[in-house]
Amino acid sequence: MSTSTLPAPPAARPGLALATVLTTQLMLVLDVTVMNVALPGIQAELGFSPTGLSWVITAYSLVFGGLLLLGGRAGDLFGRRRLFLGGVAVFTAASLLGGLADSAFWLVAARVLQGVGAAAAGPSTLALITTTITEPAARTRALALFTSMSSGGFAVGLLVGGLLTDWFSWRAALFINVPFGIAVCLLAARFVVEPPRTRARLDLPGALLATLGIGALVYGFNHAATGGWTAAITVLGLAAGLVLLAVFVLVELRTRQPLMPLSLFADRDRAAAYLNFFFGPMAMMSMFYFLTQFMQELGGFGPLATGFAFLPMAGAVFGLSRLVPRLLPRFGPKALTVTGCLLMVAGLAWLTRLSPDTAYFPGLFGPLLLMGLGAGTAFTPLNVIIMASVRPSDAGAAGGVLQTMQQLGTTVGLAVLVTVFGVASRETTGGLRLTTGMTAAFTAAAIIATGTLLVALTFRRKGVTAARQPASSR
């Protein structure tokens, strides 16, 4: 039978503690896309092959996604602040090593190590927010800021990557993590309070099955983007992932202290929120991946201009993080999520009109603004739905599942939409090839986004509000 430590005292400076945790979340998400605009320079300097270059992005997302569940439950058991600090330290050291890399192998190895650190720190960010900010309305505002960091961080990554690559070199996109990582460790050690933790044994069989299963799925989907859906490695990876995850569920049903409590999915609204954290990023990743190519190959944008082009989206997400918490108690999560999903569908549908002559105003600016408004409105209520009623002892696991769904959605979406792009553009050449493939990919993304709308319609009309307390406190 598990026992918990005594409740931790409240943070002396909760605002500073929150800022420290949110900075970490932005840093972790930013590194998913920060290297995108720097890939040509990396390839030229380190001699990556055309197919090997994708591992600069994939190595981080593969390890990050594969270890998130383990990181979430480990934080619950061994101390969230302890794992948070350790993860940030590993991530920071790996960023320094990556910036110093003198070969393709060492850069990929550093990105793998970054993924390990991110998976350790990531789930604890959400759990630390819910335990540090205890007043319901303030917690809702904090979770909204977390959403803005998670959703807007992808766009900010392109901006930061463009700035640093244009002004310095691709190495600066990794070095920039070092001072921020050191500052986070110093501030978190002083101002972030260690929440109560459950003294229990880690579910090692579940940890192994979840890590291998998610890793195999992520690898299979990533390989599908380059090798096709019928390639032996793709089929083997996807099949192995599905089998391992099925066994994982069986193990979790029989385990007394599971890595991923299946009770997290017992609540209808929470299960639907998890599903939308899969579908939403799945649809959105097409925009980051394809529009950066469109801007640089057909629009004549440089890395810096490409990063700034995504400002409308990032600004809308961050702006709504201040507004949505005021609207949520009044309208409830269903109305806001449905509205946000409609805006996302509209933005992606607009992008299906791309042609080689499409100008930034309004052809790109408009869809980017709609996507930013949609993401900020659709995803903020999901964090509240997931975390507002979860037991404190399961907060890390709940955060790990949330980020796992987001990471898997990102990876699966990119693989599916790149494959759609390749099939649609096979018969065309030049600029027409790019826009033809993108039209098909954005059409598929709009269909996926429609799935988020259908899921949002299943939410209860009132749902979870800022006033709802965690189960253990009622």
Side-chain angles (χ1 to χ4, degrees):
M1 184 173 181
S2 65
T3 60
S4 297
T5 62
L6 292 174
R13 301 282 295 276
L16 191 54
L18 177 62
T20 301
V21 173
L22 291 177
T23 298
T24 303
Q25 177 63 17
L26 178 61
M27 189 166 60
L28 301 182
V29 173
L30 184 147
D31 262 61
V32 176
T33 56
V34 72
M35 306 296 286
N36 281 17
V37 296
L39 290 177
I42 293 173
Q43 184 176 22
E45 185 172 339
L46 298 184
F48 275 92
S49 66
T51 54
L53 187 63
S54 64
W55 280 101
V56 176
I57 308 298
T58 303
Y60 180 70
S61 63
L62 180 66
V63 178
F64 189 7
L67 294 177
L68 272 169
L69 284 179
L70 178 59
R73 182 45 97 191
D76 285 336
L77 300 183
F78 304 127
R80 294 172 199 146
R81 189 183 71 160
R82 179 183 300 173
L83 206 67
F84 174 81
L85 287 169
V88 172
V90 170
F91 180 87
T92 303
S95 298
L96 178 62
L97 293 174
L100 297 172
D102 59 0
S103 69
F105 172 81
W106 285 113
L107 178 57
V108 172
R111 293 287 280 172
V112 168
L113 194 59
Q114 274 189 309
V116 173
S124 292
T125 57
L126 195 54
L128 286 170
I129 288 173
T130 60
T131 53
T132 300
I133 311 298
T134 55
E135 196 274 320
R139 177 185 288 172
T140 299
R141 291 193 295 271
L143 290 173
L145 287 170
F146 177 88
T147 300
S148 69
M149 297 298 177
S150 300
S151 302
F154 293 117
V156 173
L158 294 172
L159 174 59
V160 172
L163 282 168
L164 295 175
T165 301
D166 197 68
W167 290 351
F168 304 103
S169 78
W170 62 267
R171 296 179 185 274
L174 291 166
F175 285 142
I176 193 65
N177 291 326
V178 178
F180 282 100
I182 292 173
V184 164
C185 287
L186 293 175
L187 291 171
R190 181 174 181 182
F191 296 109
V192 176
V193 174
E194 177 71 79
R197 59 189 173 98
T198 302
R199 298 189 183 278
R201 291 186 178 183
L202 186 64
D203 173 20
L204 292 178
L208 182 63
L209 288 167
T211 301
L212 292 177
I214 293 172
L217 271 184
V218 171
Y219 180 80
F221 280 117
N222 271 294
H223 192 273
T226 54
W229 292 99
T230 58
I233 295 179
T234 301
V235 175
L236 183 62
L238 295 176
L242 291 174
V243 170
L244 287 168
L245 290 179
V247 177
F248 166 71
V249 171
L250 294 177
V251 168
E252 297 303 277
L253 288 170
R254 297 170 178 267
T255 301
R256 193 170 181 180
Q257 296 170 339
L259 179 72
M260 183 183 72
L262 296 180
S263 59
L264 291 173
F265 299 92
D267 181 86
R268 188 184 79 187
D269 284 347
R270 190 186 298 124
Y274 277 135
L275 191 58
N276 264 3
F277 260 116
F278 177 78
F279 283 130
M282 189 176 178
M284 287 180 63
M285 273 309 292
S286 62
M287 182 180 55
F288 299 115
Y289 183 79
F290 292 116
L291 286 187
T292 53
Q293 295 182 59
F294 179 87
M295 291 174 188
Q296 295 189 64
E297 293 186 28
L298 295 183
F301 288 40
L304 181 59
T306 300
F308 272 107
F310 283 87
L311 269 180
M313 180 195 169
V317 171
F318 286 115
L320 280 167
S321 70
R322 308 287 299 188
L323 179 62
V324 169
R326 301 176 187 177
L327 301 176
L328 189 57
R330 180 177 178 183
F331 296 103
K334 181 173 184 176
L336 293 179
T337 305
V338 168
T339 300
C341 291
L342 283 170
L343 290 170
M344 288 176 58
V345 172
L348 289 166
W350 192 342
L351 286 172
T352 64
R353 309 297 298 171
L354 279 181
S355 72
D357 300 321
T358 298
Y360 182 75
F361 290 100
L364 297 178
F365 177 86
L368 284 170
L369 182 60
L370 285 176
M371 289 295 290
L373 293 171
T377 307
F379 294 144
T380 300
L382 302 184
N383 279 310
V384 179
I385 291 170
I386 290 170
M387 300 304 296
S389 61
V390 73
R391 293 183 301 175
S393 61
D394 290 333
V401 174
L402 185 156
Q403 295 195 43
T404 298
M405 298 297 284
Q406 184 181 46
Q407 195 68 26
L408 280 176
T410 298
T411 304
V412 171
L414 187 58
V416 169
L417 297 171
V418 166
T419 303
V420 170
F421 173 92
V423 172
S425 61
R426 192 172 295 159
E427 305 282 331
T428 56
T429 58
L432 186 60
R433 174 184 179 275
L434 195 62
T435 53
T436 299
M438 286 184 182
T439 297
F442 286 128
T443 300
I447 294 171
I448 295 170
T450 303
T452 67
L453 175 61
L454 296 177
V455 172
L457 290 172
T458 69
F459 288 130
R460 300 180 182 94
R461 186 169 297 277
K462 295 294 183 183
V464 180
T465 68
R468 188 171 176 183
Q469 295 285 342
S472 63
S473 65
R474 289 199 297 270

